[in-house]
Amino acid sequence: MDLLERLEQYRREEQKLAWEGTFGEYFELAVKTPRVAQLSHARVYEMLMAAGAEGPSGGRSYGFFAEELFGVEPALQQLVEYFSSAARRLEVRKRILLLMGPVGGGKSTIVTLLKRGLERWTRAEAGAVYAIAGCPMHEEPLHLIPESLRGEVRAAYGLYVEGELCPVCRSALAERYGGRHEDVRVERVVFAEKSRCGIGTFSPSDPKSQDISELTGSIDLATIGEYGVESDPRAYRFDGELNVANRGLMEFVEMLKCDEKFLYSLLTLSQEQSIKTGRFSMIYADEVIVSHTNETEYAAFVANKRSEALQDRIIVIRVPYNLRVSEEVKIYRKLLSESALKDVHLAPHTLKVASMFAVLSRLEESKKAGVSPLKKMKLYDGEEVDGLSRADARELHEEAAREGMDGISPRYVINRLSNAVVKDDAACVNPIDALRALKDGFEQHTAITREERERLLNLLAEARREYDGIAKREVQKAFVYAYEESAKTLLNNYLDNVEAYCNKTKLRDPITEEEVEPDERLMRAIEEQIGVTETAKKAFREEILIRLSALARRGAAFDYTSHDRLREAIEKKLFADLRDVVKITTSTKTPDAEQLKRINEVVDRLVAEQGYCTGCANELLKYVGTLLSR
Ligand SMILES: Nc1ncnc2c1ncn2[C@@H]1O[C@H](COP(=O)(O)OP(=O)(O)OP(=O)(O)O)[C@@H](O)[C@H]1O
Ligand SMILES: [Mg+2]
Ligand SMILES: [Zn+2]
Ligand SMILES: [Zn+2]
């Protein structure tokens, strides 16, 4: 990268965003491109849709959120639908959006995505916003058109104008521009929370000291002496969050924690599209208000009679936790890639096992017979579960009204994983480490009740049992592969013995060159794997020999796949050998050279093909060893 060149380029791009002209010129632009004058909700909606949407209603996914949010499609769909209606200026746009859900369920993330999205969007051509230059609320220049002319403008140009000039612009029009509307300066603005344009945030703090001016601006003590009256706009600072967020979006953090007086400011804004500020008449404002809260606070709010007017003005969107294991894994991947853990090796299945536990903790017990939490979890994740269908999944979810509103949050899981790494200074985290870290976490947590702890411990055990099955299968798979050579050797060895046995000849020991009897023990060890009895062994061996000679006559060799039952026997024999091999690694005895070689082969296979590092591959073998020796 050439920094100087990039800086040059950066300045050129910034320059492109700087447009300035008169209101007359702006009006021409608005006639040509009416979207520049769209209202805030329509702008947000266009931004959302510009990133694309796919899938059927109910499971629609939106490109805008696709990289960042997983498993909360219903909430996102509701959100987009809200903007869709609000964009058409339906009554809903006069309501405040309230995201309601459990801690760490993604509420703030949704709002942040909207805010950052708008910042980017207004820098793009399609999202360009223009404002009266010098207006503290960067207001829509079309406000300059007098009320009495608006009907004609609408009829002639199709431009809808809503809202009145703010006190500052009104006085500027009269004094600075001598009343000539068309001369008023207009400029392009880009939204940025940092420069306090188009994006605002209000967080409740101590209700005693928090002042309404944070929302609606305040008297400018430095200039009030100069202008004498408080109703002179020059003696007022229109710098409250509601002013700043005009034309864009304001986030109202934890809205229901706020003092009522703030809520009433919101009520007028949403109802009348205006802000009551100081000594001024109402000031028009056009902005999206998004807030968030948790279920308990919301319930208290709804129970409070005095809040009825406000309740009526709120649209609640439930944002429950994700309930699909595969989506939960994506959440963790995203969070980990942003954290200090990105350089730590995660053994395969670690995130999946943590996800299983998290999802299990969020599920409600089903009243339906035979539906265990584990089955429900798999069903929700789209797995085949015998006896249950897709329709059952829907029904199960509908029966559990509060599902997803409680349980373990993604944030908790990530914190616990980080903790495990930091505490042990680990280079690698495996599923068992993860489960242990999760457990330590809620054992330390005093806020968790005894029953809840009990429930979580049971779910941990459940996730762990699920993992045990996965671990065993994983090792067996690697084993068969790493032992393909061994399988061949074992097969040839068996065939040589069978041949000698059937022809009543002897074998020559490859090393000592001595003549030896066929190895009955070896043959039986293999045959027993598939239930060939002592009395049936002769027939079985003859059958094999016939197959062998038939192949030989055609010039073909008998291989591992030539006889299905024999192949099965060989594989099972290898698995049985594995037990010993793996057990040995966990025992105090040191493995001999041959065993060591085998272990290394399995480890290599796990590393090369399954994403393990040597550390966690060895851990896996050790773990499966203890499972097998139980
Ligand atoms: N469904 C999800 N998809 C992607 N990331 C998620 C999801 N749910 C939570 N997260 C991640 O978990 C973290 C916590 O989420 P966030 O802060 O948005 O939650 P919140 O609902 O605002 O919580 P709180 O009530 O504690 O304020 C964030 O980093 C967020 O990205
Ligand atoms: Mg939050
Ligand atoms: Zn103004
Ligand atoms: Zn590892």
Side-chain angles (χ1 to χ4, degrees):
M1 169 197 179
D2 180 345
L3 180 66
L4 296 186
E5 195 178 301
R6 295 287 290 117
L7 282 173
E8 182 78 21
Q9 196 182 346
Y10 170 81
R11 281 191 298 267
R12 270 200 307 275
E13 276 158 21
E14 290 297 295
Q15 205 111 73
K16 264 194 255 157
L17 295 175
W19 180 95
E20 232 203 289
T22 62
F23 173 63
E25 286 162 332
Y26 172 75
F27 184 71
E28 265 175 55
L29 181 71
V31 167
K32 237 181 18 218
T33 336
R35 68 155 35 136
V36 299
Q38 69 197 153
L39 297 177
S40 57
H41 292 85
R43 195 177 302 283
V44 172
Y45 182 62
E46 209 169 282
M47 163 184 88
L48 293 174
M49 295 321 284
E54 57 184 50
S57 176
R60 231 169 148 69
S61 70
Y62 299 93
F64 184 82
F65 300 105
E67 304 286 306
E68 298 287 340
L69 285 164
F70 309 100
V72 286
E73 288 78 8
L76 298 178
Q77 185 169 339
Q78 248 180 298
L79 184 80
V80 177
E81 278 163 5
Y82 163 82
F83 281 109
S84 160
S85 320
R88 281 176 278 138
R89 296 200 302 271
L90 298 177
E91 185 60 20
V92 285
R93 88 183 152 118
K94 302 208 169 161
R95 304 212 200 138
I96 299 163
L97 265 180
L98 179 63
L99 307 178
M100 190 258 290
V103 289
K107 302 181 296 295
S108 300
T109 307
I110 294 176
V111 188
T112 306
L113 284 173
L114 291 175
K115 294 205 289 193
R116 299 291 92 83
L118 266 178
E119 292 178 345
R120 274 194 315 273
W121 181 243
T122 56
R123 299 178 76 87
E125 211 37 54
V129 184
Y130 297 83
I132 296 177
C135 173
M137 292 173 63
H138 25 269
E139 76 181 298
E140 169 59 61
L142 293 181
H143 291 175
L144 285 160
I145 300 175
E147 189 67 49
S148 55
L149 299 184
R150 290 184 185 180
E152 270 175 75
V153 167
R154 185 141 196 220
Y157 302 101
L159 280 177
Y160 169 78
V161 186
E162 181 184 283
E164 307 306 319
L165 282 180
C166 78
V168 175
C169 293
R170 204 175 319 127
S171 102
L173 171 64
E175 283 161 31
R176 192 170 145 210
Y177 298 106
R180 287 183 55 82
H181 306 79
E182 60 274 41
D183 294 347
V184 174
R185 302 301 294 173
V186 171
E187 61 189 5
R188 179 167 175 188
V189 292
V190 290
F191 291 173
E193 185 152 18
K194 279 203 207 86
S195 53
R196 301 188 55 71
C197 179
I199 311 282
T201 305
F202 181 81
S203 322
S205 57
D206 178 11
K208 279 187 218 76
S209 61
Q210 192 158 36
D211 195 89
I212 194 79
S213 66
E214 279 181 46
L215 274 182
T216 59
S218 58
I219 291 166
D220 189 343
L221 293 175
T223 52
I224 179 84
E226 198 177 323
Y227 301 109
V229 283
E230 284 182 19
S231 56
D232 188 312
R234 288 166 300 184
Y236 201 85
R237 292 157 61 128
F238 298 88
D239 62 355
E241 295 301 321
L242 288 175
N243 306 106
V244 163
N246 185 35
R247 322 252 338 251
L249 182 148
M250 192 185 87
E251 174 180 12
F252 209 123
V253 178
E254 305 277 3
M255 178 168 107
L256 303 179
K257 283 203 174 75
C258 249
D259 199 72
E260 273 181 25
K261 65 178 187 250
F262 297 101
L263 298 185
Y264 284 98
S265 255
L266 279 192
L267 186 62
T268 27
L269 174 64
S270 67
Q271 224 156 16
E272 330 273 346
Q273 304 266 275
S274 52
I275 313 171
K276 178 68 190 137
T277 297
R279 297 289 161 83
F280 304 99
S281 57
M282 304 288 253
I283 299 172
Y284 171 85
D286 158 39
E287 56 204 77
V288 175
I289 299 181
V290 193
S291 178
H292 31 94
T293 186
N294 64 41
E295 206 181 16
T296 320
E297 267 160 14
Y298 182 70
F301 171 72
V302 170
N304 180 358
K305 273 262 169 246
R306 284 178 40 199
S307 69
E308 259 171 14
L310 200 56
Q311 280 174 42
D312 228 35
R313 287 282 151 204
I314 288 177
I315 287 198
V316 179
I317 295 182
R318 281 162 54 106
V319 188
Y321 290 134
N322 155 56
L323 299 176
R324 296 207 301 273
V325 174
S326 52
E327 297 295 309
E328 192 73 8
V329 169
K330 292 185 197 160
I331 300 179
Y332 300 163
R333 280 204 201 296
K334 179 195 79 172
L335 291 176
L336 289 174
S337 70
E338 294 160 358
S339 81
L341 252 62
K342 64 176 187 295
D343 302 323
V344 174
H345 184 246
L346 284 176
H349 313 296
T350 303
L351 298 184
K352 176 164 180 171
V353 170
S355 297
M356 290 195 296
F357 168 67
V359 169
L360 282 171
S361 77
R362 300 166 188 168
L363 296 180
E364 276 180 37
E365 197 117 2
S366 172
K367 291 186 264 304
K368 240 182 156 149
V371 182
S372 66
L374 202 71
K375 272 193 184 169
K376 200 171 179 183
M377 175 194 92
K378 291 183 175 177
L379 193 66
Y380 280 5
D381 204 24
E383 277 184 52
E384 291 292 329
V385 178
D386 35 273
L388 295 168
S389 66
R390 298 279 92 226
D392 288 323
R394 230 169 299 130
E395 199 182 303
L396 284 173
H397 187 51
E398 274 159 20
E399 147 200 297
R402 288 197 60 255
E403 201 157 65
M405 296 302 277
D406 278 318
I408 294 289
S409 77
R411 196 190 278 140
Y412 174 84
V413 174
I414 295 304
N415 286 346
R416 293 312 305 167
L417 286 179
S418 316
N419 200 288
V421 171
V422 174
K423 199 178 83 206
D424 307 335
D425 199 13
C428 173
V429 178
N430 67 35
I432 297 299
D433 300 330
L435 291 176
R436 194 179 306 120
L438 289 166
K439 176 165 169 250
D440 291 349
F442 55 75
E443 289 196 327
Q444 289 160 13
H445 225 292
T446 44
I448 299 180
T449 64
R450 258 245 313 282
E451 291 90 61
E452 179 64 358
R453 189 166 314 171
E454 201 69 15
R455 186 180 84 94
L456 293 177
L457 282 173
N458 282 331
L459 297 175
L460 268 184
E462 190 104 28
R464 162 127 186 226
R465 272 195 296 279
E466 214 26 44
Y467 171 65
D468 289 353
I470 297 175
K472 276 193 240 171
R473 281 195 298 279
E474 186 106 312
V475 170
Q476 287 186 348
K477 239 177 23 204
F479 181 78
V480 171
Y481 187 90
Y483 282 68
E484 215 176 290
E485 277 308 310
S486 314
K488 276 188 205 144
T489 314
L490 191 58
L491 175 76
N492 289 333
N493 215 338
Y494 177 78
L495 291 176
D496 288 347
N497 279 287
V498 163
E499 209 171 6
Y501 169 86
C502 293
N503 298 335
K504 301 204 167 44
T505 54
K506 295 202 171 181
L507 289 148
R508 193 173 290 279
D509 186 289
I511 298 159
T512 60
E513 302 262 319
E514 253 176 284
E515 298 239 300
V516 290
E517 292 292 329
D519 186 347
E520 194 55 34
R521 275 230 338 259
L522 175 94
M523 289 186 286
R524 290 305 292 145
I526 291 169
E527 290 155 2
E528 276 162 4
Q529 301 294 331
I530 49 167
V532 175
T533 61
E534 194 57 40
T535 44
K537 74 178 183 192
K538 189 154 180 283
F540 183 76
R541 290 174 192 173
E542 280 166 355
E543 180 191 322
I544 298 287
L545 197 65
I546 291 168
R547 176 74 55 90
L548 184 72
S549 7
L551 283 167
R553 266 199 305 280
R554 284 192 269 125
F558 189 106
D559 75 8
Y560 181 56
T561 58
S562 301
H563 192 282
D564 279 348
R565 290 190 66 215
L566 183 57
R567 170 192 176 162
E568 189 190 334
I570 299 269
E571 280 186 1
K572 284 199 166 156
K573 175 72 175 82
L574 281 174
F575 286 160
D577 291 349
L578 164 72
R579 263 174 194 269
D580 300 334
V581 174
V582 177
K583 262 190 248 170
I584 283 160
T585 66
T586 59
S587 71
T588 48
K589 274 182 287 171
T590 42
D592 63 31
E594 172 60 19
Q595 286 159 337
L596 208 58
K597 188 174 147 268
R598 291 180 165 206
I599 292 164
N600 287 338
E601 272 170 7
V602 172
V603 167
D604 287 349
R605 164 73 181 168
L606 287 168
V607 170
E609 305 276 329
Q610 302 299 126
Y612 285 81
C613 70
T614 8
C616 54
N618 278 305
E619 286 289 319
L620 175 74
L621 288 183
K622 234 191 259 173
Y623 182 67
V624 171
T626 55
L627 289 179
L628 289 175
S629 56
R630 272 199 197 134

